[in-house]
Amino acid sequence: MGLGVAFPSVKTGGLEAAQTATFAPDKTTPQYSGKARIIDGDTLALGAVKVRLHGIDAPELAQTCMDAQGKIWGCGQWSMAALQSLAQDTVQCAQTDVDRYGRIVAVCRAAGVNLNHAMVAHGAAFAYAKYSTDYITAENQARKSSLGLWQGGAQKPAAYRAEKRAQAQQDHAAVQEPAPKGCTIKGNISKSGRLYHLPGSRWYEKTQINTKNGEHWFCSEEQALRAGWRAAKG
């Protein structure tokens, strides 16, 4: 049984190992089920409930990898397609935790297949050893067989995310403009609106000003208020 995804040159394995992986929640374990909407290779939604697959970490959607011939391919999109293929039937999820983003963390099954295990066994996701060792064996087998992500070079998603965060911080810092002499009040535009920050206030040091985006340096609170800004809380 193949994955039937959009990158046929990427070798994958069968579902046999995934079908034998078991997870037996007790009666007190919160359960969720329904038709899944796939968000990426390790996240899905059952109605309004977002579910992060326990113990695995899939490439980010924009992430690329290298195949056995050294060619770049869209492994993030491929991973999402792999989960879509596996989760076509009704998905049943047993909650194991809640993550810092408020998503349910769960072990999910569809058509008798443990989706968490299957994604790792196919080489479509990594075992997330930071949080669980449940799928280390499946990952080792996928690596030995050069399946999916393991047929070439693939950066771990956590490292990819860290690099993106660091780059975003550098880009943000690069647009910081020096304050005009005597005008040190920061007029920042955020999702909370137009706020001004006084030197020594809670968010002053972390706030970056980019006048090209309509932000301003003010010389006094009166000037900021006249311009339509309001004081930031804290």
Side-chain angles (χ1 to χ4, degrees):
M1 181 177 178
L3 284 176
V5 295
F7 297 93
S9 62
V10 180
K11 185 169 61 172
T12 59
L15 289 178
E16 293 80 7
Q19 289 171 327
T20 61
T22 60
F23 175 74
D26 60 36
K27 294 181 180 180
T28 64
T29 303
Q31 305 278 328
Y32 304 87
S33 65
K35 181 67 176 178
R37 175 173 60 86
I38 307 304
I39 297 172
D40 57 29
D42 55 35
T43 311
L44 54 85
L46 298 174
V49 179
K50 283 190 175 182
V51 179
R52 177 68 159 81
L53 297 182
H54 162 78
I56 77 171
D57 199 15
E60 299 297 313
L61 288 179
Q63 195 169 340
T64 58
C65 300
M66 187 177 296
D67 67 15
Q69 287 73 45
K71 296 181 179 179
I72 301 299
W73 62 288
C75 55
Q77 293 288 333
W78 176 79
S79 178
M80 180 179 71
L83 185 55
Q84 286 175 326
S85 180
L86 291 165
Q88 293 181 30
D89 293 322
T90 298
V91 173
Q92 297 176 320
C93 296
Q95 181 177 333
T96 62
D97 203 352
V98 177
D99 71 10
R100 59 178 176 170
Y101 303 109
R103 298 175 300 188
I104 300 302
V105 179
V107 174
C108 299
R109 304 181 72 87
V113 175
N114 180 320
L115 301 182
N116 309 48
H117 185 278
M119 288 295 288
V120 177
H122 283 305
F126 297 94
Y128 210 171
K130 178 180 179 180
Y131 296 103
S132 172
T133 59
D134 290 355
Y135 308 111
I136 296 295
T137 298
E139 179 178 272
N140 289 338
Q141 292 173 344
R143 183 192 295 112
K144 289 179 181 178
S145 299
S146 299
L147 299 180
L149 302 170
W150 298 107
Q151 71 160 329
Q155 183 181 32
K156 289 293 184 70
Y160 175 86
R161 292 191 294 268
E163 284 188 3
K164 289 297 182 182
R165 286 194 299 269
Q167 185 60 55
Q169 290 172 354
Q170 290 179 7
D171 293 344
H172 190 57
V175 302
Q176 174 63 72
E177 301 173 10
K181 187 175 182 180
C183 301
T184 58
I185 297 174
K186 296 180 176 181
N188 174 244
I189 301 174
S190 69
K191 63 181 180 181
S192 299
R194 297 170 178 260
L195 305 178
Y196 68 83
H197 301 263
L198 298 173
S201 61
R202 181 180 180 184
W203 303 109
Y204 186 84
E205 293 300 328
K206 292 184 178 181
T207 299
Q208 307 292 318
I209 299 301
N210 182 359
T211 56
K212 293 180 180 179
N213 291 338
E215 297 177 326
H216 288 275
W217 291 99
F218 294 110
C219 304
S220 68
E221 284 192 79
E222 182 182 2
Q223 182 187 18
L225 291 167
R226 285 202 309 266
W229 263 254
R230 56 189 174 86
K233 294 181 179 181

